[in-house]
Structure formats: structure tokens, C-alpha cells
Amino acid sequence: MFSLASILRPHILSLTPYSSARDEYTGTEGVFLDANENALGSTTSAGRYNRYPDPHQTAIKTQLAPIKGVTKEQIFLGNGSDEPIDLLIRATCRPGQDNIVILPPTYGMYEVSGNLNDVEVRKVPLTAEYQLNLPAVLSAIDTYTKVVWICSPNNPTGNLIDPADIRQVLAAAQSALVVVDEAYIDFAGPDYASWTTQLAQYPNLVVLQTFSKAWGLAALRLGMCFASVDIIRVLNLIKPPYNISAPTQALALDALDHVAEKKQMVADTLAERSRLAEGLRRLPTVQQVFPSDANFLLVRFDDANDIFNQLIDSQVIVRNRSAVTRCEGCLRISVGTPAENDRLLAVLESIA
Ligand code: PMP
């Protein structure tokens, strides 16, 4: 049986959270002399930002909850999803004692945050098909394992992880959180249901999503974390009070009124992803274009380093993953605008 209290670092539940200035009075009218703000205004003509933002981000959560099929109390918002990645490790892993399990090749911040927090990072490589090596994953998990990180669709490989395998991990890891990072979920197509639909079944499940990809708001730095009310309460207990800035909150609220535009951008990206994949497959220097459920393609070239450098010389910048185990010879290429994708293909054709 999973028990959150037993996997938290011992001091966490007795922490007193930073009490932000306006906890006792939640009204918007009044003379506010409690937070040492500059009452006179702001040093920018772009708006008034002299007051601290809502530490609970209530307006966004109220609008987001029905869209995601969860309650407000099941949502944590972070300064990018990178913030909950770090907070989840800090809430659970005793430095020098506990471990996390990651499944490379995968997103880099799980390991960076693990290392930063002096936590052992156990690596169980994905199979050649970029799926879980389930027996190896299950045997890597022990009573000191506090978080298992599963990225689906996975970065940099682009594929979804088999849900049946994720279920097995969720069932087996009774003394760990299982985080399913769905940063690229919107590009996986309508048949794929988010793991947020499974939160009631699995008290150890945490789902990450972000405004940085399909919503087109990477510069805002806004990540979403969905989990049980108890897990979200812990994240709120340990977060810095004003972790989401006022412009970010305002712009995210506005974005939530533009769901149709987001859907259209996703559809356009998917159409371009197919066109780009076809264009790449026709090139003689390309060995393999991996199937993608994300907004990028993993592509194996005859000589990836040479292609990478020649693309840079033409001011086309992609991500070189050729030194990453299981991605040997591969570049990761984001789907761009139609014109950008044409430019990439034209440069690659001129190299060939
Ligand atoms: N998870 C994955 C799988 C990612 O690829 C990224 C960013 N590239 C993130 C999380 C972090 O996203 P954010 O901008 O929300 O911090």
C-alpha cells in the first residue's frame, strides 16, 4: 500500500511554509501596507507590476481544472515543469541515501536535479525500440527509490511509452512516486488519453505537463503538475511563495481562452511533422526517421556530426544527440514553420 507520509523526507510535514503577506486578508480592496512593495508604481511603461502576484494562482487553477478533468486541489503550477521536477525530488529523497530511477535516453533535468540534490540516479536504458526494459526497471526499484521518471512521449526519442508497462511500474513501486512527464502529450493524437485520467486509481502517480510546447508559451515558464490532493499539498508547502509571476499568470489565463487556437497549432504542427518526415526520408544522407508522437523528429544520419556542423554553418540549428547512448548518429529536429522546414530540407539537400 502506498503511503505518501512514509516516503517524504522526515522533516517535510512539520515544515512551516513561508506565510505570504496576504494570507490573512484575501480581499482585493484596501490599503496594502503589508508586503514592502513600492506603492507608487512600476519602472516600466508596459503595465503596473508593483504588487506581488497571487501565490495560489487561483484564477488559472479554476479555469484549468475542468479542462484537465481534475480539481483545483490536484494542480500545482511551477516555474516551468523544471520546478516540480526539482521539488518532487527535494520533498522525498534524503541526500546521500535515497535514489531516483531514470530511463535514458530521456529528458536531462531529472538527472540534473537528482545530482544537485545529492541523490543517486539509477539509469535503466530503454530498449532498442525505446520502450521500458520492464524487468530491469522493476529490479532497479528498491525501498530507497523515491521517484521513477517516465517521459511519454519521450524526449529525445519522440515515442509514447507502452501504457501497460507504466501500469506495471505504478503497481510495483509502492514506496515511490511514478512521474509521467507528458510535456509533449498534445502532439500524441486524440486516441491517447493523458495519465491524468488515472490519478484516482494510482495514489503514487504524478503527471507533468507544460505551457511551453503546444500552448506556445515557453518564455512564460509555466509548468503543470497533477497528482493526488496530498501530493499537491506537499508541493505547495515547499514552493517559494510567489513562484509564478503576475505577467505569466495573466498571459496564461488569456491563453486558456484560446483553446481553439492551440488545437489549430497542434494540427498544423502534426501536418508539418508528416511533411518534414517524408522530406527527410527521401534524403540519401538520412538512415532513419523515427516515428514521433511529439513536435520533433529523431533522425539518424550517415554522419550526424558532419551534418550538424554544416547545418550550423547555414544557420540552421538542431540538437546533436549523436553522443547519447541509443541515439548514436542522431539529431533531434524540432518541427518548425513550413518555411523553416523548407529551409532545413533545402540545406540538407545541398549537403547531399
Ligand atoms: N519535460 C520534458 C520532457 C521536456 O522536454 C521539457 C523541456 N524541453 C520539460 C519537461 C521542461 O519544460 P518547461 O519549459 O515546462 O520547464
Side-chain angles (χ1 to χ4, degrees):
M1 258 282 282
F2 176 77
S3 146
L4 178 63
S6 70
I7 73 156
L8 294 174
R9 285 167 74 190
H11 67 297
I12 291 284
L13 285 180
S14 52
L15 281 176
T16 307
Y18 179 82
S19 90
S20 51
R22 225 138 290 157
D23 282 348
E24 289 84 17
Y25 178 78
T26 51
T28 50
E29 297 303 313
V31 177
F32 292 104
L33 306 176
D34 58 330
N36 301 343
E37 296 152 337
N38 183 339
L40 304 180
S42 307
T43 48
T44 171
S45 49
R48 278 179 74 95
Y49 298 107
N50 51 330
R51 301 295 182 182
Y52 282 104
D54 175 9
H56 311 296
Q57 306 105 22
T58 305
I60 302 177
K61 288 178 185 172
T62 303
Q63 201 147 335
L64 196 56
I67 295 176
K68 296 295 178 182
V70 297
T71 65
K72 278 195 304 231
E73 293 72 28
Q74 289 183 287
I75 305 174
F76 172 83
L77 296 175
N79 183 357
S81 21
D82 290 338
E83 185 175 32
I85 289 171
D86 187 61
L87 291 178
L88 286 163
I89 293 176
R90 280 204 277 158
T92 55
C93 295
R94 292 162 296 181
Q97 214 175 333
D98 291 325
N99 67 74
I100 60 171
V101 171
I102 69 166
L103 315 167
T106 194
Y107 181 50
M109 280 306 287
Y110 319 136
E111 182 171 9
V112 169
S113 281
N115 288 339
L116 175 62
N117 290 296
D118 189 19
V119 165
E120 183 197 344
V121 180
R122 293 192 177 165
K123 298 179 187 173
V124 184
L126 296 174
T127 65
E129 289 75 39
Y130 298 144
Q131 287 297 327
L132 300 196
N133 179 347
L134 195 55
V137 173
L138 297 185
S139 65
I141 298 171
D142 62 18
T143 51
Y144 294 94
T145 303
K146 294 299 172 66
V147 192
V148 182
W149 299 93
I150 302 175
C151 188
S152 181
N154 187 43
N155 176 8
T157 59
N159 61 293
L160 287 161
I161 302 299
D162 186 344
D165 288 349
I166 299 180
R167 281 185 196 287
Q168 299 253 24
V169 177
L170 280 160
Q174 285 303 307
S175 58
L177 300 175
V178 177
V179 180
V180 182
D181 184 342
E182 295 185 334
Y184 300 97
I185 175 85
D186 298 273
F187 306 104
D191 296 339
Y192 182 77
S194 164
W195 280 89
T196 52
T197 58
Q198 305 299 307
L199 285 172
Q201 252 104 305
Y202 298 106
N204 54 340
L205 172 63
V206 177
V207 180
L208 297 180
Q209 294 183 5
T210 179
F211 282 84
S212 298
K213 312 294 175 185
W215 291 95
L217 298 171
L220 293 193
R221 311 305 303 126
L222 189 59
M224 296 168 264
C225 177
F226 307 102
S228 71
V229 171
D230 291 342
I231 294 173
I232 297 303
R233 191 180 296 123
V234 170
L235 293 175
N236 283 321
L237 185 70
I238 64 174
K239 83 177 180 75
Y242 305 114
N243 60 328
I244 310 297
S245 77
T248 293
Q249 293 194 38
L251 293 168
L253 254 187
D254 176 70
L256 287 168
D257 283 333
H258 294 81
V259 178
E261 284 91 326
K262 177 198 135 193
K263 280 200 177 135
Q264 188 58 53
M265 283 206 284
V266 168
D268 292 347
T269 301
L270 297 189
E272 273 303 295
R273 184 179 74 194
S274 305
R275 191 179 73 88
L276 183 58
E278 275 166 38
L280 288 164
R281 283 195 184 100
R282 272 190 236 112
L283 295 171
T285 49
V286 168
Q287 286 182 7
Q288 192 173 3
V289 180
F290 289 88
S292 173
D293 278 297
N295 65 345
F296 56 84
L297 293 167
L298 188 71
V299 186
R300 181 162 278 139
F301 289 87
D302 292 336
D303 186 345
N305 287 324
D306 179 55
I307 299 277
F308 177 78
N309 290 327
Q310 294 209 49
L311 285 171
I312 293 250
D313 289 344
S314 303
Q315 294 182 310
V316 176
I317 300 90
V318 300
R319 189 94 151 109
N320 191 348
R321 300 282 79 184
S322 61
V324 174
T325 305
R326 295 246 195 284
C327 295
E328 292 83 359
C330 289
L331 304 179
R332 192 196 70 191
I333 303 175
S334 304
V335 177
T337 63
E340 289 170 339
N341 299 330
D342 284 343
R343 168 100 185 274
L344 168 81
L345 289 169
V347 175
L348 287 173
E349 262 158 39
S350 74
I351 293 172

